[in-house]
Amino acid sequence: MKNIKLVLEYDGSRYQGWQRLGKDESTNTIANKVLEVIKKMTNEDVELNCGARTEVGVHAYGQVVNFKTTTDMSLLEIKRYLNRYLPMDIAVTEIELMQERFHASLNADSKIYLYRLSIAEVPSVFERKYVYHAFKKPDVDLMKQAALSMVGKHDFKNFSTVKKSKSTVKEVYDIDIYDDGNEIQFTIHANDFLHNMARMMIGTLIDIGLGNRKKEDVEKLLLGDSKVAASAPVDPKGLFLQEVIYK
């Protein structure tokens, strides 16, 4: 039995996220498309584990998955087969044979998400599916100040739409906000993310930068103040799973 690790790149625009379960179960997911091709390739029903379950409309530069198979195909043959039959908006960029106990989800140490916000005078017609456009430039220094309060171990329940979770306490290692004059990029590195956590954090920071709320709201939200609500999640089209990190 081979334990295969893949690194995937995908455009999440037309999919219902990585996977939809329960009442919202859908076959139009990244996971289902990959599983269909693996089944065609191996004639096996495999279990596909992922490093991070991306939400509806979210993209990935470096999603990590693993599955076990008895196929005698080489790694190069598997990679070429998958890239030949997967939809053009999903690609396998790396493939590796792992130890039997490797699990893409359980062994993930941390994750990095990137959000792209266009501040150009005229939004690019070519980037419109992957960048959210702001018609007014937010105050970057003010957003950086507010982001400092999010770094560290906190209860991020108020920055999520999660209904059930073993724990809502997560540790954010770093938040970088970079402005090149045409685009502002938010990079968040954390040990894990709750449902919509990255998008609500960024939405709150943008509202602070635009002067729609005070930077002190961040500390109130982290302390569980019921009188304060986080901003709505930002548009998913600007969000990318940049990397899943393993020790």
Side-chain angles (χ1 to χ4, degrees):
M1 183 75 74
K2 297 177 181 177
N3 190 7
I4 306 295
K5 171 189 171 184
L6 305 175
V7 178
L8 303 178
E9 184 176 86
Y10 53 80
D11 176 345
S13 301
R14 68 186 185 98
Y15 297 103
Q16 293 296 305
W18 172 257
Q19 187 178 29
R20 304 291 285 182
L21 301 173
K23 294 180 180 179
D24 297 327
E25 187 170 355
S26 170
T27 58
N28 184 34
T29 62
I30 306 292
N32 192 62
K33 297 301 179 184
V34 177
L35 283 168
E36 285 178 353
V37 180
I38 292 175
K39 174 68 180 290
K40 181 178 179 181
M41 177 179 69
T42 64
N43 199 31
E44 297 172 335
D45 290 312
V46 304
E47 180 180 353
L48 190 65
N49 308 303
C50 75
R53 286 182 58 184
T54 51
E55 298 149 12
V56 178
V58 176
H59 319 291
Y61 289 122
Q63 173 70 279
V64 177
V65 304
N66 82 287
F67 66 96
K68 295 181 178 180
T69 176
T70 61
T71 183
D72 58 2
M73 296 172 68
S74 70
L75 294 183
L76 182 58
E77 288 173 331
I78 292 173
K79 183 180 180 181
R80 286 178 173 174
Y81 187 99
L82 292 173
N83 282 326
R84 179 179 180 183
Y85 291 104
L86 280 169
M88 293 297 289
D89 49 11
I90 305 174
V92 177
T93 59
E94 298 176 33
I95 185 168
E96 186 177 353
L97 183 63
M98 304 298 290
Q99 294 181 345
E100 183 182 353
R101 296 185 65 182
F102 174 77
H103 191 288
S105 176
L106 299 179
N107 295 142
D109 185 60
S110 62
K111 300 152 191 179
I112 299 175
Y113 276 94
L114 167 71
Y115 195 80
R116 300 176 59 192
L117 179 72
S118 168
I119 52 173
E121 181 181 355
V122 180
S124 168
V125 297
F126 301 110
E127 293 287 312
R128 69 189 186 283
K129 290 171 60 179
Y130 312 106
V131 179
Y132 179 67
H133 182 71
F135 289 93
K136 178 183 176 183
K137 181 181 177 179
D139 186 323
V140 174
D141 289 335
L142 195 56
M143 292 192 295
K144 287 182 177 180
Q145 293 172 31
L148 288 174
S149 299
M150 296 178 174
V151 176
K153 186 177 288 186
H154 304 286
D155 187 341
F156 284 91
K157 182 178 180 180
N158 285 338
F159 284 98
S160 174
T161 53
V162 67
K163 295 180 181 178
K164 293 182 180 180
S165 177
K166 292 181 181 179
S167 174
T168 52
V169 175
K170 304 298 176 186
E171 184 171 3
V172 173
Y173 302 124
D174 183 57
I175 300 177
D176 181 69
I177 304 175
Y178 173 74
D179 173 13
D180 69 1
N182 289 308
E183 187 175 306
I184 296 174
Q185 295 188 351
F186 300 79
T187 306
I188 305 177
H189 181 197
N191 66 338
D192 199 9
F193 290 83
L194 298 167
H195 188 257
N196 280 330
M197 176 175 151
R199 291 169 58 203
M200 292 179 75
M201 289 171 67
I202 294 165
T204 300
L205 289 175
I206 292 174
D207 274 347
I208 290 170
L210 292 173
N212 296 331
R213 61 187 311 159
K214 298 179 180 179
K215 66 178 182 179
E216 289 77 19
D217 285 354
V218 172
E219 292 185 8
K220 293 179 181 179
L221 287 161
L222 293 173
L223 291 173
D225 190 334
S226 59
K227 297 179 181 178
V228 182
S231 297
V234 284
D235 194 315
K237 69 181 181 181
L239 187 63
F240 295 76
L241 172 62
Q242 183 167 296
E243 185 179 1
V244 182
I245 299 172
Y246 297 85
K247 290 183 178 178

